[in-house]
Each structure stands twice: as C-alpha cells, then as structure tokens.
Amino acid sequence: MMMAMMMAAALSGGDAQAARPDLPLLAGAAAAPDCGNQAVLAGAWCVSAPLSAMEGVAQAYVAELTGKGWLVADGGANRAVLLRRKDGGGCETVQMLIVRDTSEPTTADSVAWLGVATVPGDVCAPEAGQ
C-alpha cells in the first residue's frame, strides 16, 4: 500500500507529461501506454512483459538510467527509486514500480507492468535557512 501511495504522489505533481521520463523501449518489453489500466500507474511511462521476464526488464531499465547518471537511492522487490544531481544543486528523482493484475491467477505468463514516473519536489534541496 505504501508503494501505491508513493507512486500516486509521484504522479499527482501537475503536468502528466512531466511525469514521463524519456526512456527507450528495451528488449523484452512491450509498449504499454495505458499501463494496463492499473490505477497506481496512471500517468506513468509504462512497459509490459510476462511476469517471468519482468525482473530482467526492470534491471535493464535500472541499467539504462544509471548509464545516464542516475543513482539508485532505494528499492525493494517491486520498486526502485533513483536520483540524479542537478547542475547548481538539488536532485531530480524517479520511481519505478512493477505491478500485476492481482484479480487474475498468477502464472509465469501473467502480464506485469513497469511504470516510471518523476517524483515532484527536490529530495536534495537545502533545508530552509541554509
């Protein structure tokens, strides 16, 4: 539930286009512009893949982002938070979240979605008064 709230917060920060990082379609992933109609991913940039392949797809997207200067700041079984320092101070942040349709039985061929969204605000901003 906490991950869903974090992704919802990431996606509620204004212009929906701003929530979509510029990422290519990588091997093993299929474009999923509707994010499988998964509410927690509304407004995110999404791809889909079979559940059995999703770990490799997610790792490929983490590698794509780290190759562009992003640093992995946090993560878990189905999410990753990455940040990149801005010139002149501060950071931009993205969150990746993997979801699947829990109303359906889970098999290796079940479809899973990977959503990526920018997180509004600046986690590296100096504290007030500094």
Side-chain angles (χ1 to χ4, degrees):
M1 184 63 167
M2 179 60 115
M3 288 171 276
M5 292 184 330
M6 288 176 66
M7 184 60 95
L11 297 173
S12 65
D15 183 0
Q17 261 323 94
R20 295 185 178 135
D22 183 27
L23 291 170
L25 185 61
L26 299 179
D34 68 352
C35 298
N37 295 315
Q38 299 296 309
V40 70
L41 298 177
W45 178 90
C46 294
V47 295
S48 65
L51 187 58
S52 61
M54 187 51 81
E55 181 178 356
V57 168
Q59 288 173 350
Y61 277 102
V62 168
E64 174 73 19
L65 286 164
T66 57
K68 292 180 177 184
W70 292 85
L71 303 169
V72 177
D74 192 21
N78 64 341
R79 72 175 182 90
V81 178
L82 297 97
L83 62 87
R84 180 169 59 183
R85 299 211 181 271
K86 296 184 214 176
D87 291 338
C91 297
E92 49 189 333
T93 309
V94 296
Q95 178 169 277
M96 295 175 46
L97 183 64
I98 298 170
V99 298
R100 65 175 181 80
D101 185 350
T102 58
S103 69
E104 299 289 327
T106 302
T107 69
D109 293 328
S110 296
V111 176
W113 296 271
L114 171 71
V116 183
T118 58
V119 177
D122 188 340
V123 298
C124 300
E127 292 184 31
Q130 290 189 357

